[in-house]
């Protein structure tokens, strides 16, 4: 039962204990999805998978994460669909469609809070969002950016949006927020490139002075755009410290297809798998598991998905497992580093990409 | 140039080798004589002797010596 | 041509030449001028040391050598009077660098003034061939200058429309989306169009015959048909159909020899492994009963227990094969849909296949070639006789 997980500190189980608990739970999920999602059952039949023969997590079958862009997969009847979460992909315009029922949506938030609590404390704090209110108002924009903010709604005591509808930093709003809450711990949330461009740049250009030393900056994704501008994670942190005294950073790795069970970054700069999830890196030649330290394609395993068969996914990210149970920060479980996305291939042949230039 | 000299030149130019490498040279003995190099060789031989080779002969021509034999046939009449 | 001329880059020819084309006389089919020009182009390329690294350039040069052109000319000579239609506009595909030269060859031999829009990707093969073209045109073949332009332009509906408005033949390579886009530009009333849409191909192997052959050579031939172009050419087999009485023995030998070759020569990329897994999942999710029979990602084999017209919607590239054992060759009919192009055969008489096509009236299958020849360049492509299609007949009773 998932409740067993919620009563345990999320980074407290060592390898053997965690694997046993996770495997049992994942197999229950697989059996459920197999029963309730015909397409998923077909896939497992083709892969010749059976729960009886699965004795370790590395044997759990994985779906390529892009499949949620290509087709609808759900294990609940239509009338139970509470919301459909979409995420726009980075490589294509097509968005993933994740079907959630009420229970699954709640579970995502609960687990997200459980995990974040380990990094920023369990207390609910006021939150300054480096984004515009429009992202949750405008239904069309209600994609990953909006969804992540909404997911944090419960974590926040009071949510304040720092940007106006033209994506310009509203200095008065920030000053008010700091006057009211700046003496105690508070949260700042934004995608890395949003923070870089709309907070840092604005502070510098307009010569603003804010003291964010009591804040935790939560970021998640958006690195790609900064990497394009050759901004490193260190540079990002240095600039924040210099401009507004920002010292506490919690980045994370995660995806809409496994919302909730994120991999937050500890002060050592490591992304941590919690008891709700695991990560395996695989060799592209035959999908065999990599050794610790050997870069491979990242597979993520999560107990969270209940309403769709997304418990074990092969991502299109390359990464490396740095270690297990032995991070200096004291958290148990595997900790990883993301190396970037798999390169899309320049494929030879007749069907071409000329057409894509037209659209 | 004699026919033999022309024949040798087609090989040495195409594969960028020297004459002393020619005796006993076979298809795929050297990197340059792969399937692509073979096409270049055939084109060069046809050009040199102003002939059109049959597909069967093109495939059979798998050594320096075999080439002499094929070109010497009545069809082409190149005496080497 | 007015407004957008500034955005066109001429690799061969010029705006002036392009604008003059409608007034240039057509040439007869297989004109001496065109044949001599191509022969010299062949020689130029074969002797170009830079070209040697590009097997596709050499294959093209080999195809247009004199002996080969003579043979083609004999095939076309039937006593009829044939002449070029006028100006031919060619849209070449972006991922097959040498295709532009092949379509140019058809066009010149048909007697047309030829304009080719080439890929915007800076392929070295295109540069090598254009260099040779320019050398010949500025030398002995100045009389052919008015007949050839090779252009590059970023997508522009306006330019495509202007070029289309002046052409008598439009030839569109490169897939369904490109065709749909180009077709937005209308053609003059008498102009004709040849389109080369997305196709798929299959292979049929007689197991008894296979076992008599050199397995290494067969593996090489099959590799050439598939992996050599990332198994993504229209003519690359995506399905292997087995017939005969020794299927299991033949299969085992065939795939193990191929596997060795692929691991040695093919540069598998991580995204291809993921793509193949995705294709497999999508196929099985669709309800097609399938079985994964391979164990790594170099040669992914998916065995199916029946053939349906939908199967090919789930095809993939880079070494992803459907496999089917047929008791009777007529079982392949469901996959011979409109988009089926080439059947590569080993140990199967051509007639057996044409019988299946004719007796069942299938909408697909334009070409049957021996294994190893899927990538061959021919004068008949996708069911078109290229020279006849790009020229016209001046009829008189014979």
């Amino acid at each position: 039962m998932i409740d067993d997980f919620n009563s345990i500190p999320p980074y407290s189980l060592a390898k053997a204990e965690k694997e046993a608990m996770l495997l049992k739970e994942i197999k229950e999920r697989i059996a459920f999805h197999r029963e309730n999602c015909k397409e998923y059952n077909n896939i497992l039949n083709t892969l010749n998978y059976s729960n009886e023969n699965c004795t370790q997590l590395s044997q759990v079958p994985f779906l390529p994460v892009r499949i949620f862009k290509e087709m609808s997969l759900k294990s609940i009847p239509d009338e139970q669909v509470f919301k459909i979460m979409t995420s726009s992909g980075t490589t294509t315009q097509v968005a993933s469609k994740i079907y959630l029922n009420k229970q699954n949506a709640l579970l995502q938030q609960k687990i997200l809070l459980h995990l974040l609590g380990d990094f920023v404390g369990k207390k609910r704090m006021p939150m300054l969002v480096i984004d515009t209110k429009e992202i949750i108002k405008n239904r069309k924009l209600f994609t990953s950016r909006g969804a992540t903010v909404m997911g944090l709604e419960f974590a926040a005591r009071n949510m304040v949006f720092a940007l106006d509808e033209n994506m310009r930093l509203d200095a008065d709003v920030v000053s008010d927020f700091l006057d009211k809450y700046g003496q105690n711990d508070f949260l700042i949330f934004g995608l890395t490139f949003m923070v870089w461009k709309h907070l840092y740049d604005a502070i510098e250009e307009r010569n603003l002075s804010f003291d964010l030393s009591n804040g935790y900056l939560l970021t998640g994704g958006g690195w790609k755009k900064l990497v394009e501008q050759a901004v490193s994670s260190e540079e990002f942190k240095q600039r924040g410290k210099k401009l507004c005294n920002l010292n506490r950073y919690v980045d994370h790795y995660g995806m809409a297809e496994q919302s909730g069970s994120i991999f937050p970054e500890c002060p050592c700069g490591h992304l941590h798998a919690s008891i709700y999830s695991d990560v395996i890196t695989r060799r592209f030649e035959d999908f065999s598991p990599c050794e610790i330290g050997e870069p491979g394609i990242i597979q993520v395993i999560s107990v969270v998905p209940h309403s769709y068969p997304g418990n074990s996914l092969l991502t299109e990210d390359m990464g490396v497992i740095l270690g297990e149970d032995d991070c200096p920060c004291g958290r148990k479980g595997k900790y990883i580093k993301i190396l970037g996305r798999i390169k899309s291939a320049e494929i030879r042949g007749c069907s071409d990409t000329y057409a894509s230039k037209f659209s | 140039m004699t026919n033999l000299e022309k024949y040798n030149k087609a090989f040495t130019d195409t594969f960028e080798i020297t004459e002393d490498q020619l005796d006993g040279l076979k298809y795929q003995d050297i990197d340059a004589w792969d399937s692509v190099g073979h096409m270049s060789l055939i084109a060069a031989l046809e050009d040199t002797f102003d002939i059109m080779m049959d597909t069967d002969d093109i495939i059979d021509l798998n050594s320096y010596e075999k080439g002499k034999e094929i070109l010497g046939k009545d069809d082409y009449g190149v005496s080497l | 041509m007015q407004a957008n001329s500034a955005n066109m880059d001429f690799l061969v020819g010029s705006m002036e030449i392009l604008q003059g084309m409608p007034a240039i006389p057509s040439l007869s089919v297989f004109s001496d001028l065109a044949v001599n020009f191509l022969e010299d182009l062949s020689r130029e390329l074969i002797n170009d040391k830079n070209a040697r690294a590009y097997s596709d350039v050499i294959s093209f040069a080999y195809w247009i050598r004199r002996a080969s052109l003579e043979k083609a000319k004999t095939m076309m000579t039937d006593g009829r009077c044939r002449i070029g239609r006028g100006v031919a506009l060619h849209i070449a595909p972006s991922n097959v660098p040498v295709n532009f030269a092949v379509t140019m060859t058809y066009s010149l031999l048909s007697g047309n003034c030829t304009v080719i829009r080439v890929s915007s990707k800076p392929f070295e093969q295109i540069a090598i061939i254009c260099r040779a073209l320019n050398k010949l045109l500025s030398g002995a073949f100045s009389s052919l200058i008015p007949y050839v332009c090779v252009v590059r332009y970023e997508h522009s509906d306006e330019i495509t429309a202007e070029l289309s408005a002046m052409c008598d033949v439009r030839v569109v390579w490169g897939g369904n989306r490109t065709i749909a886009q180009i077709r937005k530009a209308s053609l003059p009333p008498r102009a004709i169009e040849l389109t080369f849409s997305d196709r798929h191909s299959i292979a049929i192997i007689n197991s008894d015959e296979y076992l008599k052959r050199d397995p290494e050579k067969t593996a090489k031939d099959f590799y050439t048909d598939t992996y050599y172009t990332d198994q993504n050419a229209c003519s690359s087999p995506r399905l292997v159909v087995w017939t005969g009485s020794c299927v299991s023995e033949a299969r085992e030998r065939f795939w193990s020899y191929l596997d060795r070759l692929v691991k040695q020569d093919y540069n598998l990329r991580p995204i291809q492994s993921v793509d193949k897994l995705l294709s497999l999942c999508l196929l099985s999710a669709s309800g097609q009963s399938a079985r994964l029979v391979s164990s790594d990602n170099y040669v992914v084999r998916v065995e199916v227990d029946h053939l349906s017209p939908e199967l090919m919607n789930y095809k993939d590239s880079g070494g992803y094969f459907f496999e089917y054992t047929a008791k009777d060759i007529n079982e392949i009919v469901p996959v011979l849909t409109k988009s089926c192009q080439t059947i590569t055969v080993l140990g199967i008489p051509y007639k057996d296949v044409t019988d299946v096509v004719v007796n069942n009236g299938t909408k697909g299958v334009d070409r049957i070639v021996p294994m190893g020849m899927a990538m061959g360049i021919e004068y008949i492509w996708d069911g078109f006789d290229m020279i006849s299609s790009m020229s016209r007949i001046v009829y008189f009773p014979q």
Side-chain angles (χ1 to χ4, degrees), chain B residues 13-14 16 28 36 39-40 42-43 46-47 50-52 55 58, chain C residues 42-43 46 49 52 54-55 58-59 62 65-67 70-71 220:
Chain B
D13 283 1
T14 302
E16 297 179 299
Q28 290 192 337
V36 176
M39 289 192 269
S40 302
I42 297 300
E46 286 185 341
D47 218 31
D50 197 19
I51 52 171
M52 272 172 65
T55 313
I58 292 174
Chain C
S42 168
R43 204 167 293 127
I46 296 255
K49 293 207 164 40
R52 284 186 187 168
Y54 299 97
S55 60
I58 299 297
S59 301
Y62 184 73
R65 76 196 197 284
R66 194 176 66 85
E70 292 286 332
K71 220 181 278 172
K220 262 189 192 155

Side-chain angles (χ1 to χ4, degrees), chain B:
Chain B
M1 245 195 291
T2 67
N3 278 349
L4 182 62
E5 282 166 343
K6 287 186 196 166
Y7 180 74
N8 289 351
K9 192 171 178 326
F11 276 79
T12 53
D13 283 1
T14 302
F15 300 140
E16 297 179 299
I17 52 174
T18 51
E19 284 213 18
D20 58 303
Q21 288 176 271
L22 292 178
D23 277 334
L25 185 69
K26 285 193 192 62
Y27 179 56
Q28 290 192 337
D29 273 358
I30 50 171
D31 285 349
W33 197 355
D34 59 3
S35 58
V36 176
H38 191 63
M39 289 192 269
S40 302
L41 175 69
I42 297 300
L45 289 174
E46 286 185 341
D47 218 31
T48 304
F49 298 111
D50 197 19
I51 52 171
M52 272 172 65
M53 294 179 64
D54 285 345
T55 313
D56 287 346
D57 289 333
I58 292 174
I59 293 167
D60 284 349
L61 202 164
N62 58 6
S63 72
Y64 171 75
E65 280 75 20
K66 183 77 185 174
K68 285 184 182 173
E69 188 187 309
I70 289 172
L71 292 192
K73 293 201 303 189
D74 283 348
D75 304 354
Y76 310 116
V78 180
S79 53
L80 293 162

Side-chain angles (χ1 to χ4, degrees), chain C residues 268-336:
Chain C
L268 180 74
R269 285 143 286 173
I271 191 71
Q272 293 177 305
S273 300
V274 178
D275 285 343
K276 291 178 195 178
L277 176 66
L278 178 64
S279 296
L280 177 67
C281 289
L282 291 173
L283 171 78
S284 15
S286 79
Q288 163 93 41
S289 92
R291 210 161 59 89
L292 179 66
V293 287
S294 49
S295 56
D296 66 37
N297 294 320
Y298 281 94
V299 184
V300 174
R301 295 158 52 206
V302 181
E303 194 177 37
V304 294
D305 62 6
H306 73 284
L307 296 177
S308 70
E310 292 77 33
L311 179 64
M312 288 298 178
N313 298 343
Y314 299 94
K315 67 179 196 274
D316 204 344
S317 55
Y320 181 85
F321 302 96
F322 300 128
E323 230 182 328
Y324 177 75
T325 303
K327 289 192 185 66
D328 181 322
I329 193 170
N330 281 293
E331 289 169 38
I332 64 170
V333 169
V335 292
L336 307 187

Side-chain angles (χ1 to χ4, degrees), chain A residues 91-108:
Chain A
T91 47
T92 57
Q93 297 303 311
V94 191
S96 288
K97 272 192 179 166
I98 306 299
Y99 293 83
L100 299 176
N101 56 8
K102 247 192 190 123
Q103 297 90 313
N104 205 151
L106 273 172
L107 187 64
Q108 288 181 351

Side-chain angles (χ1 to χ4, degrees), chain A residues 191-194 220-227:
Chain A
L191 300 184
T192 42
F193 74 90
M194 302 280 292
W223 280 106
K224 206 179 158 215
K225 288 193 186 172
L226 283 187
V227 169

